Amino acid sequence: MKVISRPLKFIIITSLCLVPLILLAFFYESLQNYSVLFQPYGFKSFGFHHPNPTVEVESLTDLLQRRVSVGNIDDKNSMFSEHDAAQGFYDHEISSFLSYNQIGSQEQSQRVPCNPFQHSVKVSRWNKNLDVSLVEVRRHIFENHPDLKQYLESPDDANKSEEDIVEQQWFQFGGSSVWLEKEQCYLMVTRIMHSPTGFKNIPRTSLMWVRALDRNWEEIKGKNVSYLDQALFDVDAPVGDKEESLGKRTSDSATNCELFKHNSSDYGSCVMKNATYPKLADIRFEIDKVYNGPEDPKVVLREYNGVEEPVIVFNMNVHKGEEQRRMMHAYLLHRATNNLIQFEIEGREPLEIEKNWAPFFARNQSNINFVYQYDPLEILTCSLDTGKCRTEYSEKEQSGREIGYIRGGTQYVPLPGVLPHIKDKQFWIGFPKLHIDACGCGDNFYRPMLSVLTRDLEGVYSREISSGAITFGLDVLSWDQKSSACGGSNVLSPNSISYWEVVGKDTRTGKIDDHLALAMSESDSTSKVIVLRGVLDYILKMYVQEKMSVDPIACLSEQSKETCMVYGEKHQRDLGTD
């Protein structure tokens, strides 16, 4: 028998041990590269990230076949807590229409009466009130912003209690929020209004109040987030090129400035280098008679070069001599310098009032985009450095049909990032606000609608899916805030999509399960968030249904007016009428 030498034996044993380890390392690396297609159930999309842009599928429906099953739902790993989800969901039917661009030309398709795709999404019984303490906000402003105090008080206030002043003259509206994965918090911006006359729809001054909230929507007071364009304590560091400098700071996470309270110099430098929440957005503006300051703020998440950046878009009056125009702006919350941008469309004289631009970001693009108008569809792309905008896409002509008026609503967000990219196409969804006059519920009826926006490789945009007015089965607070009766303006406004996450896939049916948090406001006063379940499945089913041609604009108008009338008939009884 041949005896193996001791050194050779050592080499053989070592090799036998190392080979499995090498294979395991190779297998692990492969899993990382293809993790989008082979998701373990617990991997989530908190926000709208795109972790693997190289994985593609041919169409949306391929998602049902191409992604390996991820098993049963585990609510413990969801943004929507097990405790809140235990309150349950109820079904709410949404009626939607496919556009001609998706079905084919109007002449080539079968013409049928309005026959919407009707399917239900689930609406959480849980909801969270997101109102702020106006007394607290007023005190903060008076203590920390003396330059504003003179415009926010009057001689008559001396004879009133603080609570009476706030109740009569101070209002809040339009809480908009987005999740920051790196900071593990929501940022929520709320419009604060001061109206000396007591009319909330005619404020003299508007301000933006920004808070940090934890996963359970509870406020985090004293939350510090380092500015993206500044190195901690290096006050004189040049910013350089903005896109290259973002995120290059010496602290990778928020710094607690309280640690430096013993040293006034270090503490002051820390405060200068961090945004501390809650805070008033530091925006300078001129004070005139009414409608001064930032209005209709919406926060949207920009992800570029691996950096998360919250951007607030809003409109504000701008004075140029005797002339005054309302212009769109962006406020870059986590930049210490050059953080206020005014948008102007090149080669075009601005309208007297520019507002309701719906923001979104394209894949691997630093610019911010806007849906400027819906019919005809026009898309702008704007620089966050210069504020210069150009028309990226414009339909040749509008439908000529009566649709009411579609306003900005929420931002548009891409499909959840754990899903593969769709070959040759980008998809976004949003909830614009639909406005219909005298339709059976007061003078004005405002409700969200679901919208799917797409862009192909040639740069052609399309509104591929549009729903009618959505009530979510809610009894909306009346304008006088005393009941849910119709009368005057009846307003349910969509403000933001706070997150959209995939939480699982049914192994038997192939149905993808998801949660979408939608922040809304009622009666231009109170704000809250609800969670929708099954939005992605709803969209997928629309693309696999039998495609019949309808006039989407006419059908959308018809369905929305019917929704308004049904809601009005139910809520007129609140007034004691038949």
Side-chain angles (χ1 to χ4, degrees), residues 25 50 74 87 98 120 135 137 160 191 247 259 288-290 307 312 322 349 361 377 400 409 446 451 453 535 561 571:
H50 294 277
D74 178 5
Q87 298 184 38
L98 284 166
S120 294
V135 170
V137 172
K160 300 177 182 177
R191 178 183 171 191
L259 298 175
D288 203 353
K289 296 179 181 179
V290 291
V307 177
I312 299 178
E322 297 296 323
E349 186 70 17
F361 287 99
L377 181 64
Y446 296 85
S451 171
L453 182 72
V535 174
K561 289 178 180 178
H571 290 81

Side-chain angles (χ1 to χ4, degrees), residues 436 438-441 445 559-569:
I436 309 175
C439 57
C441 179
F445 187 74
Q559 189 277 332
S560 298
K561 289 178 180 178
E562 181 180 347
T563 297
C564 173
M565 189 166 294
V566 170
Y567 183 90
E569 289 174 354

Side-chain angles (χ1 to χ4, degrees), residues 340-492:
L340 181 62
I341 309 296
Q342 179 177 306
F343 294 116
E344 295 183 5
I345 307 174
E346 293 182 322
R348 185 188 305 185
E349 186 70 17
L351 301 177
E352 185 175 341
I353 298 177
E354 294 283 6
K355 59 187 299 186
N356 295 317
W357 299 10
F360 67 99
F361 287 99
R363 197 156 55 225
N364 302 321
Q365 184 185 52
S366 62
N367 283 356
I368 188 171
N369 302 317
F370 294 98
V371 179
Y372 181 70
Q373 61 180 12
Y374 288 88
D375 188 30
L377 181 64
E378 183 174 358
I379 306 295
L380 302 178
T381 184
C382 305
S383 168
L384 284 172
D385 288 339
T386 66
K388 299 299 182 183
C389 303
R390 60 176 176 82
T391 299
E392 184 174 8
Y393 175 77
S394 180
E395 284 181 341
K396 293 181 180 179
E397 55 186 47
Q398 62 190 102
S399 66
R401 299 286 186 172
E402 177 61 35
I403 189 176
Y405 188 49
I406 301 178
R407 300 177 183 269
T410 72
Q411 81 277 39
Y412 277 80
V413 302
L415 300 179
V418 296
L419 300 178
H421 290 164
I422 311 302
K423 186 178 181 180
D424 301 338
K425 217 169 201 180
Q426 292 190 60
F427 287 78
W428 301 268
I429 80 158
F431 289 87
K433 181 167 63 175
L434 187 62
H435 170 199
I436 309 175
D437 292 329
C439 57
C441 179
D443 300 325
N444 314 108
F445 187 74
Y446 296 85
R447 288 298 184 275
M449 59 176 284
L450 175 65
S451 171
V452 174
L453 182 72
T454 66
R455 180 186 186 273
D456 64 21
L457 286 180
E458 271 92 53
V460 176
Y461 284 84
S462 174
R463 305 176 306 271
E464 289 204 346
I465 295 176
S466 299
S467 81
I470 306 174
T471 67
F472 295 117
L474 301 174
D475 296 321
V476 175
L477 188 66
S478 60
W479 189 253
D480 62 9
Q481 303 180 46
K482 295 179 180 179
S483 69
S484 60
C486 289
S489 295
N490 192 268
V491 183
L492 180 64

Side-chain angles (χ1 to χ4, degrees), residues 208 229 242 281-286 293-295 309-318 327-344 383-388:
M208 297 194 302
D229 57 350
K242 291 183 183 179
D282 189 14
I283 295 174
R284 303 295 172 177
F285 54 89
E286 295 185 45
E295 298 188 7
E309 180 174 20
V311 179
I312 299 178
V313 297
F314 61 94
N315 63 80
M316 182 171 66
N317 272 339
V318 175
M327 303 291 288
M328 288 294 297
H329 296 75
Y331 182 65
L332 309 176
L333 270 170
H334 292 165
R335 297 196 198 185
T337 60
N338 303 311
N339 53 16
L340 181 62
I341 309 296
Q342 179 177 306
F343 294 116
E344 295 183 5
S383 168
L384 284 172
D385 288 339
T386 66
K388 299 299 182 183

Side-chain angles (χ1 to χ4, degrees), residues 3 32 54 62 115-116 132 134 151 155 210 262 268 276 299 362 365 376 381 383 425 429 432 441 506 513 532:
V3 179
Q32 297 305 303
T54 62
D62 286 339
N115 185 22
V132 304
L134 291 175
Y151 301 107
V210 189
H262 63 280
T276 302
V299 62
Q365 184 185 52
T381 184
S383 168
K425 217 169 201 180
I429 80 158
C441 179
D506 190 287
D513 200 5
L532 307 178

Side-chain angles (χ1 to χ4, degrees), residues 503-540:
V503 295
K505 179 182 175 182
D506 190 287
T507 56
R508 182 177 58 85
T509 65
K511 177 181 177 181
I512 297 174
D513 200 5
D514 64 325
H515 291 155
L516 184 150
L518 181 63
M520 302 187 293
S521 57
E522 298 180 63
S523 184
D524 285 5
S525 54
T526 186
S527 297
K528 65 181 178 182
V529 64
I530 62 172
V531 172
L532 307 178
R533 189 174 186 175
V535 174
L536 183 57
D537 186 62
Y538 180 93
I539 294 170
L540 291 172

